[in-house]
Amino acid sequence: MKLIYEKSKKGRHGFSLPEDQFKEINLKDCIPQYAKEEKEKELPEVSEVEVIRHFTKLSKLNYGVDDGLYPLGSCTMKYNPKVNEKLATIDSFVYAHPFADEKYIQGSLQIMYELGELLSKITAMDKFSLMPAAGAHGELTGVLMIRKYFEDRGEKRHKMLIPDSAHGTNPASSAMAGFKVVEVKSNERGGVDINELERLMDEDTAGLMLTNPNTVGLFDENILKIAKIVHSKGGLLYYDGANLNALLGIVRPGDIGFDVLHLNLHKTFSTPHGGGGPGAGVVGAKSHLVEFLPSPIVCTDDGKYFFEYPKKTIGRVRAFYANFPVLVKAYAWILSVGGEGLREVSEASIINANYILDKLKKYYRPAYDRICMHECVLTGREYKEYGVKTLDIAKRLMDYGFHPPTIYFPHFEPYAEETIMVEPTESESKETLDEFINAMIKIAKEAKTKPELLKGAPHNTPVGRLDEVKAVREPKLHA
Amino acid sequence: MRYIPNTKADKEEMLKEIGVSSFNDLLKDIPEEVMLKKTLDIPTLSEEELTEKIFKISKKNLGFRFFKPLIGAGAYRHFVPEAVKAVISREEFYTSYTPYQPEISQGNLQSMFEYQTHLSRLTGMDVIVPSIYDGASATAEATLMAIRLTHKNKVIISPLLHPHYAETVRTYTAPHQTEIHIAEYKNGLSDLKSIESAIDENTAAVIVQSPNFFGAIEDIESITRIAHKKGTLIIQVIAESLSLGLLKSPAEMDVDIIAGEAQSFGMDLNLGGPYNGYLGSKMKYIRQIPGRIAGETTDKNGRRGYVMTFRAREQDIRREKATSNICSNHALNIVAGNVYLSLLGKNGIKKIAELNIKAAHYLRTKLIETGKFSGFKYPFFNEFVLEVKDKEKIKDQLINNGFIPPFDLGIYYPELEGHMLFAVTEILTKKELDFVVNLLER
Amino acid sequence: MGYKVIEGLYYTKNDEWIKVEGDIGTVGITDYAQDKLGDIVYLEEIEKGKKIKAGETLTTIESVKAASDIYAPISGEVIEVNSEVIKEPSIINKDPYGKGWIAKIKIENPEELKELMKAEEYSNYRKE
């Protein structure tokens, strides 16, 4: 498809500009010699009609949740309710300036405060900061709080434990917060290896970052032991909330020993993923960590809402308070679903994942053959002998009209290799799952009988498999 | 519930297929003693009840739609065309995710590439990272990048870097014991001498915002010369990116790294987010830049297509050795920015920047003429600082007449108590500006 | 799938090889390593004259889907760097033990070689 630049024609434009009423101001007097631009900034010249058609055409090359099943593991690609979009774009929210006086943004503050309270209820934490822009941003915030907590106590702890099954963001966030990352191996049941944890957890270690259910879709059955080991050495337990969709109304991170956590509002709480963002990575803390939350946080007194600056705050992690519209959407979702509905969400997502696991485990040997939580991790190991890679299986799935699951993650030997991580979420019906399962079974058969079909896949997409090697070797990063 | 298709009967059938007798059999790994014993105490609202509730809450805000800001300070109310909103309301853009599967994500990927092109043409930088959360976090990331590139651990920051950006840099660098030296300012501009004298062998970068927090257009070229002479990198921060339509591009001034905020490119104020940060650098620094980048390539039939490229920098591959932990960013605002800049085009971007600079100069001139205001005199884009006699009175006058008052500089610059930072964009008409002058003259 | 292992070289657990001639060791990565990485797109420049300890990072290598550090199998001084593979790192995929060599190190302490694996041992180590 053509680039917008290739549609450019001299003299066209697509913008409605007000008339220049300031003829008496001479532009030359406004710009100092050292900042005068001599060159033209060659943006495309296109009309509004052409722009709209261009982007409409582009949009059709994408696949979204509204198009169908989007089973990316650990991404929780659930339905994004339409009413939430509307509520997030109410004028007096949209046009609110971040430096407007608190008395003029009482409505926005109320939403922020109440959302924090709802999340506290759901997770059993004491206070939330809504500031972080994304999951990884929340992680960084959380581990910086852990760092500050120990500094405040005069303890020097420079290591952070992270399971081999963790998302790459966990070690990356810890490194950004100045910690040395120490990997903890998974055991043969898919959980944290307790003996290994006991050996590694010492007084130089700040704590453990844990995703639970973890990335192989299993709730760590030793969670209470894990918490005890970490806490007995004075460490803190960080909860990566990427997989909270499994636990709503069933068990709360704050009740099983977690001290600080982040939640991805764009996963569990239904806000759209926007092609990679914006979401929100809100951070919840137990009382002993509240004073380290990034500032400001929203508090209330006597019906008035206001910002407060926690005493020992880690500081700001961004310019302003939050991704506000995302918060409105999450707030709206929680209230639409309600207490009973929250549990129903997790129930449906767990049943859906186990249904897929049960139907597909004969064809794609699971990393761990056990009942799973909200996602299941299959593998494409046995098709290697036919020359078929897991990547080929994923690509072929597009020909059947589905977005492929997450592949090659998690990756840790010897259990999780050639992984296919499927998270159906609660949004999918049994019929959709059956269609997906049938497609996967067909592909399994094709892998044995017509491997070339998979290796050349996808066949029905706007472009075929793209040469990623060329993209790095002969970089072209702009037109 | 309307968001869950499967009925009780469906679930029972599925449980049977799975081979368990009840849902609770699927929860055996969860210790019994920590399971929630009762339903979470959260009400369930119908769509209509919910809508009414949130609309009611929204009424507690000022009716911002009809209040025109004379405040910017890192968040600017510009006109956002409906076309931008229409495009980002398409489900293919807003309900998709990171383009991990390029074959069914060409819409997002090509849009990233086009936007990278727009920004590359506006800034002259070879490499553009089209989305970091916001300008502040982009500045913090640029700082860490400079530290990695130089293996040095001190940065010199202009005192006229947005205070929230500076604080974010502090937050991000705190664990690395980075020495942060705040330079001085003079007449609303960074003091070049104070920057020069602060540079030593351990200095990784000089960080200067232009237009700076006071709206002043800095002499970046001279600062770059000073930095480079002393073997230090220069990071230019751009909080008001519309200025790029008119001002000399960072690359022409030999800037090494840029960190910007693209909110002015089609994003509403939204109480501070989501906006969209970006980074740019010279090509030779690409392996240390954080964040997703799109690149052009071909498929097996030679068809042109786009992929996420230079991926080995990222956390999912490099883990603790990644250039950043960033994963989700503000991708939808790449689309917004792309539509906005495509609509404006070559002439539009210049014209709108001109309108901003002219309107702001008009207001400053008129306010000075009243004799009630005095202030720094420096070259500026669409913001300027004036000393006012009674700031509380001015705040009241303005809010009572439909304007959001300027930013009170005393909050961050105690020595400038009584000074206000005015912002003027193209959304203010001459009539409105004349009204403001009349009002404040009284 | 058998990976090529060459007799007479020493091997590390991180899949580097070293060929010793006098007090000079030539270093590269094994066939197994290049296969696991896939299409190699980048090899970070190495500073000539750099003094390095066994086990320290010599350089970083990147494919499209992976990146890893290459560690020095032995302590010493980097006396030569293969500029051809820096320019065209895909050579390592084609000829990991020959034209794809990465650097030459002047060996400080030959005793360290005893810590490394011989061909047969490495072969068994990477047998799938």
Side-chain angles (χ1 to χ4, degrees):
Chain A
M1 182 179 153
K2 276 187 179 171
L3 290 168
I4 191 83
Y5 282 91
E6 290 157 348
K7 296 173 178 168
S8 175
K9 194 166 174 191
K10 197 172 162 45
R12 286 189 182 158
H13 73 93
F15 206 87
S16 152
L17 283 166
E19 191 197 336
D20 180 2
Q21 302 161 309
F22 307 101
K23 297 267 192 301
E24 69 261 50
I25 302 287
N26 191 342
L27 192 62
K28 278 194 187 128
D29 304 334
C30 302
I31 306 172
Q33 195 52 42
Y34 57 73
K36 283 217 164 69
E37 178 62 287
E38 309 296 339
K39 285 189 198 153
E40 291 283 344
K41 311 261 173 149
E42 296 288 345
L43 295 184
E45 296 179 82
V46 273
S47 66
E48 181 172 330
V49 194
E50 289 167 298
V51 169
I52 288 295
R53 289 203 178 137
H54 177 76
F55 283 95
T56 303
K57 215 166 167 185
L58 272 186
S59 78
K60 290 180 179 170
L61 307 179
N62 275 353
Y63 183 100
V65 168
D66 289 355
D67 289 299
L69 178 71
Y70 209 129
L72 278 179
S74 266
C75 296
T76 317
M77 300 299 291
K78 65 170 71 176
Y79 173 66
N80 314 126
K82 302 307 156 194
V83 63
N84 300 356
E85 295 300 308
K86 159 105 181 162
L87 296 173
T89 52
I90 298 174
D91 277 354
S92 57
F93 292 151
V94 167
Y95 295 95
H97 193 281
F99 279 124
D101 195 289
E102 280 166 14
K103 62 178 175 251
Y104 304 128
I105 51 169
Q106 284 297 303
S108 298
L109 291 178
Q110 183 180 344
I111 297 246
M112 290 164 83
Y113 179 79
E114 287 183 5
L115 175 62
E117 292 298 292
L118 288 168
L119 295 172
S120 293
K121 238 181 226 180
I122 294 167
T123 59
M125 301 310 276
D126 293 312
K127 185 75 192 167
F128 270 83
S129 161
L130 309 172
M131 189 178 246
H137 206 207
E139 288 176 25
L140 176 63
T141 303
V143 289
L144 284 171
M145 286 163 63
I146 291 176
R147 181 174 191 90
K148 195 106 193 216
Y149 167 85
F150 286 115
E151 265 173 25
D152 186 53
R153 296 165 62 94
E155 291 183 52
K156 283 206 172 69
R157 296 188 181 232
H158 66 280
K159 291 188 286 189
M160 184 66 79
L161 302 181
I162 294 172
D164 53 8
S165 62
H167 298 108
T169 49
N170 288 184
S173 301
S174 291
M176 276 178 94
F179 288 108
K180 180 180 185 299
V181 173
V182 179
E183 192 177 273
V184 190
K185 295 257 174 271
S186 298
N187 65 21
E188 73 292 345
R189 294 193 35 91
V192 170
D193 187 322
I194 290 287
N195 295 330
E196 176 100 338
L197 178 68
E198 224 154 7
R199 187 174 66 78
L200 294 170
M201 186 62 219
D202 58 21
E203 258 105 49
D204 293 330
T205 302
L208 171 73
M209 290 183 87
L210 193 65
T211 311
N212 195 19
N214 61 18
T215 63
V216 278
L218 302 174
F219 187 91
D220 204 307
E221 55 198 348
N222 294 318
I223 184 61
L224 299 178
K225 262 188 226 155
I226 291 171
K228 208 167 160 195
I229 292 169
V230 173
H231 288 152
S232 71
K233 292 283 168 69
L236 296 175
L237 202 53
Y238 182 94
Y239 181 80
D240 177 331
N243 291 345
L244 186 75
N245 209 44
L247 304 186
L248 300 171
I250 294 173
V251 62
R252 307 188 298 174
D255 290 336
I256 48 178
F258 287 97
D259 301 284
V260 53
L261 56 72
H262 85 265
L263 307 175
N264 307 66
L265 297 186
H266 48 291
K267 293 180 180 174
T268 310
F269 297 93
S270 90
T271 78
H273 282 71
V282 301
V283 169
K286 282 286 199 187
S287 55
H288 50 290
L289 285 163
V290 168
E291 56 188 348
F292 303 100
L293 282 168
S295 65
I297 51 176
V298 184
C299 297
T300 185
D301 189 20
D302 203 17
K304 290 265 179 292
Y305 300 91
F306 52 89
F307 288 119
E308 215 172 72
Y309 299 81
K311 264 194 273 112
K312 296 170 180 169
T313 177
I314 58 162
R316 282 177 192 277
V317 293
R318 65 185 296 177
F320 301 111
Y321 315 115
N323 284 349
F324 184 75
V326 178
L327 307 183
V328 179
K329 294 174 202 180
Y331 177 77
W333 185 79
I334 295 170
L335 292 181
S336 302
V337 171
E340 255 166 60
L342 285 167
R343 184 177 165 103
E344 216 184 304
V345 162
S346 288
E347 264 187 37
S349 72
I350 292 171
I351 294 172
N352 278 356
N354 276 290
Y355 184 71
I356 291 175
L357 174 65
D358 181 71
K359 298 283 176 198
L360 287 180
K361 67 182 176 191
K362 283 203 292 279
Y363 305 92
Y364 301 93
R365 191 152 47 93
Y368 296 93
D369 192 0
R370 298 176 54 193
I371 295 281
C372 65
M373 294 295 282
H374 69 305
E375 63 190 4
C376 60
V377 176
L378 307 164
T379 73
R381 286 189 270 224
E382 52 221 283
Y383 301 100
K384 260 182 163 173
E385 63 176 291
Y386 303 95
V388 170
K389 294 185 199 143
T390 300
L391 179 73
D392 304 322
I393 296 167
K395 296 294 181 194
R396 181 67 180 145
L397 203 48
M398 292 182 214
D399 289 334
Y400 287 94
F402 295 105
H403 193 289
T406 300
I407 48 168
Y408 299 117
F409 179 80
H411 177 89
F412 54 92
E413 291 167 1
Y415 305 105
E417 282 181 292
E418 301 286 322
T419 46
I420 305 171
M421 186 195 208
V422 189
E423 181 181 5
T425 83
E426 75 277 10
S427 306
E428 303 307 329
S429 67
K430 178 174 176 296
E431 294 72 42
T432 305
L433 299 185
D434 284 334
E435 284 167 28
F436 170 73
I437 288 161
N438 286 337
M440 286 294 281
I441 293 172
K442 271 191 201 152
I443 293 169
K445 285 180 184 146
E446 287 171 355
K448 291 182 181 169
T449 54
K450 292 178 267 187
E452 294 311 315
L453 196 60
L454 272 64
K455 284 190 249 179
H459 303 279
N460 309 330
T461 45
V463 289
R465 251 185 245 193
L466 291 154
D467 187 347
E468 295 183 31
V469 176
K470 180 179 169 186
V472 186
R473 285 195 183 143
E474 302 159 35
K476 191 168 180 207
L477 308 179
H478 50 80
Chain B
M1 200 219 310
R2 68 188 188 284
Y3 302 148
I4 303 177
N6 285 340
T7 59
K8 202 164 170 239
D10 289 327
K11 287 186 212 158
E12 269 161 21
E13 192 189 332
M14 291 165 86
L15 287 169
K16 211 192 255 168
E17 298 262 345
I18 296 164
V20 293
S21 51
S22 80
F23 171 68
N24 281 341
D25 290 349
L26 300 177
L27 305 178
K28 286 206 175 117
D29 286 341
I30 304 178
E32 180 59 35
E33 66 263 42
V34 293
M35 288 249 215
L36 275 179
K37 301 295 180 298
K38 50 181 188 197
T39 307
L40 290 167
D41 173 27
I42 297 170
T44 311
L45 305 185
S46 70
E47 185 165 330
E48 176 55 22
E49 287 166 341
L50 175 76
T51 304
E52 205 175 303
K53 180 180 169 78
I54 295 186
F55 265 94
K56 265 192 190 148
I57 296 176
S58 80
K59 290 273 184 226
K60 298 184 187 172
N61 274 11
L62 190 67
F64 283 103
R65 176 73 181 84
F66 301 103
F67 281 75
K68 294 213 171 164
L70 286 164
I71 188 170
Y76 304 92
R77 171 121 168 241
H78 291 291
F79 169 65
V80 180
E82 276 309 312
V84 172
K85 297 179 186 180
V87 170
I88 62 171
S89 302
R90 289 192 65 90
E91 68 85 15
E92 299 88 339
F93 285 122
Y94 86 83
T95 78
S96 57
Y97 196 30
T98 305
Y100 290 121
Q101 300 291 345
E103 297 87 349
I104 47 173
S105 311
Q106 284 300 298
N108 283 329
L109 286 160
Q110 181 171 329
S111 170
M112 277 171 80
F113 182 83
E114 289 174 347
Y115 182 73
Q116 285 167 207
T117 307
H118 297 330
L119 287 195
S120 176
R121 290 181 181 195
L122 287 172
T123 65
M125 303 309 276
D126 300 325
V127 181
I128 294 288
V129 174
S131 185
I132 299 288
Y133 317 125
D134 70 350
S137 55
T139 304
E141 289 279 17
T143 309
L144 295 178
M145 176 181 171
I147 292 170
R148 286 194 300 274
L149 280 168
T150 56
H151 305 287
K152 296 174 182 177
N153 203 12
K154 172 180 167 182
V155 289
I156 294 161
I157 298 185
S158 157
L160 304 176
L161 172 65
H162 193 299
H164 290 188
Y165 288 27
E167 195 184 326
T168 306
V169 171
R170 280 187 197 282
T171 307
Y172 271 63
T173 55
H176 309 289
Q177 284 83 47
T178 304
E179 186 189 338
I180 293 179
H181 179 94
I182 306 289
E184 286 158 29
Y185 72 93
K186 224 162 130 184
N187 301 324
L189 289 160
S190 303
D191 179 38
L192 271 55
K193 280 203 189 102
S194 81
I195 290 175
E196 185 162 17
S197 63
I199 301 178
D200 60 20
E201 294 101 74
N202 190 34
T203 307
V206 173
I207 305 170
V208 182
Q209 178 179 324
S210 183
N212 67 28
F213 189 62
F214 292 176
I217 301 166
E218 297 271 8
D219 183 0
I220 293 289
E221 207 152 17
S222 297
I223 299 171
T224 301
R225 219 174 295 128
I226 291 168
H228 286 171
K229 197 174 70 193
K230 294 210 166 184
T232 296
L233 296 174
I234 166 112
I235 300 172
Q236 183 185 345
V237 176
I238 306 154
E240 171 48 299
S241 290
L242 212 60
S243 62
L244 291 166
L246 217 47
L247 303 183
K248 199 185 258 188
S249 69
E252 260 184 279
M253 303 183 286
D254 204 23
V255 168
D256 298 293
I257 301 169
I258 57 169
E261 170 58 75
Q263 182 257 328
S264 294
F265 296 156
M267 278 147 251
D268 285 311
L269 288 170
N270 276 317
L271 199 67
Y275 298 166
N276 195 18
Y278 57 89
L279 289 171
S281 81
K282 296 175 176 171
M283 192 63 193
K284 62 182 170 186
Y285 301 138
I286 191 167
R287 284 198 158 73
Q288 284 304 335
I289 210 166
R292 290 176 180 142
I293 303 173
E296 187 179 301
T297 185
T298 46
D299 74 0
K300 58 178 193 269
N301 299 316
R303 272 178 301 193
R304 183 170 70 179
Y306 302 88
V307 292
M308 291 194 287
T309 192
F310 290 90
R311 292 267 294 119
R313 301 165 295 117
E314 293 188 50
Q315 47 76 28
D316 52 336
I317 292 179
R318 203 59 147 252
R319 297 178 80 86
E320 67 269 26
K321 287 180 180 163
T323 54
S324 167
N325 66 341
I326 193 166
C327 180
S328 283
N329 50 29
H330 286 175
L332 191 63
N333 283 341
I334 298 176
V335 180
N338 187 4
V339 177
Y340 182 87
L341 290 170
S342 298
L343 290 168
L344 271 181
K346 173 180 169 179
N347 296 313
I349 184 80
K350 218 160 61 185
K351 275 193 193 148
I352 198 163
E354 276 176 31
L355 280 171
N356 274 261
I357 202 170
K358 286 171 103 173
H361 281 75
Y362 178 79
L363 180 65
R364 186 180 185 280
T365 308
K366 292 287 172 192
L367 286 175
I368 292 282
E369 277 171 15
T370 64
K372 296 212 158 191
F373 301 89
S374 58
F376 297 116
K377 193 161 171 44
Y378 48 68
F380 63 96
F381 180 60
N382 61 0
E383 284 177 291
F384 56 87
V385 173
L386 289 180
E387 186 170 7
V388 303
K389 295 222 165 73
D390 184 350
K391 70 177 184 190
E392 294 311 322
K393 185 179 150 202
I394 285 183
K395 283 183 191 173
D396 285 344
Q397 278 174 317
L398 287 170
I399 206 86
N400 291 335
N401 284 283
F403 297 91
I404 310 290
F407 182 74
D408 183 348
L409 268 186
I411 298 172
Y412 290 119
Y413 298 85
E415 72 278 17
L416 296 179
E417 181 53 43
H419 287 68
M420 297 188 105
L421 174 62
F422 287 75
V424 186
T425 73
E426 78 287 353
I427 63 148
L428 284 149
T429 62
K430 189 174 183 183
K431 215 170 129 190
E432 284 165 335
L433 294 178
D434 288 338
F435 179 84
V436 167
V437 174
N438 266 322
L439 189 71
L440 300 187
E441 208 172 14
R442 279 181 236 148
Chain C
M1 248 192 311
Y3 295 107
K4 211 162 136 189
V5 177
I6 307 258
E7 282 298 329
L9 309 184
Y10 294 92
Y11 296 87
T12 68
K13 287 197 165 159
N14 293 310
D15 308 295
E16 292 95 7
W17 56 262
I18 179 166
K19 182 164 105 187
V20 179
E21 289 159 304
D23 61 350
I24 307 296
T26 305
V27 177
I29 65 167
T30 65
D31 187 36
Y32 172 87
Q34 72 76 22
D35 184 73
K36 282 280 160 194
L37 279 165
D39 291 313
I40 295 166
V41 291
Y42 177 69
L43 184 68
E44 190 184 50
E45 203 120 17
I46 307 167
E47 193 192 328
K48 216 170 128 179
K50 170 169 155 173
K51 293 224 163 59
I52 196 161
K53 289 251 170 300
E56 283 180 356
T57 304
L58 175 67
T59 181
T60 302
I61 192 162
E62 238 181 69
S63 66
V64 172
K65 297 268 184 259
S68 66
D69 288 343
I70 297 177
Y71 301 98
I74 203 151
S75 307
E77 183 187 334
V78 178
I79 54 163
E80 204 180 330
V81 177
N82 186 355
S83 56
E84 291 300 310
V85 294
I86 301 273
K87 243 185 282 162
E88 187 48 68
S90 64
I91 296 172
I92 298 171
N93 289 122
K94 289 178 208 127
D95 190 5
Y97 296 107
K99 287 193 182 119
W101 67 275
I102 290 166
K104 294 190 179 185
I105 295 178
K106 186 162 188 222
I107 299 172
E108 211 175 80
N109 177 10
E111 284 293 302
E112 286 176 358
L113 291 169
K114 288 183 186 153
E115 302 292 314
L116 302 176
M117 289 179 268
K118 298 254 174 74
E120 199 191 323
E121 211 182 326
Y122 179 73
S123 237
N124 288 328
Y125 172 66
R126 280 306 180 198
K127 198 173 267 167
E128 282 206 288

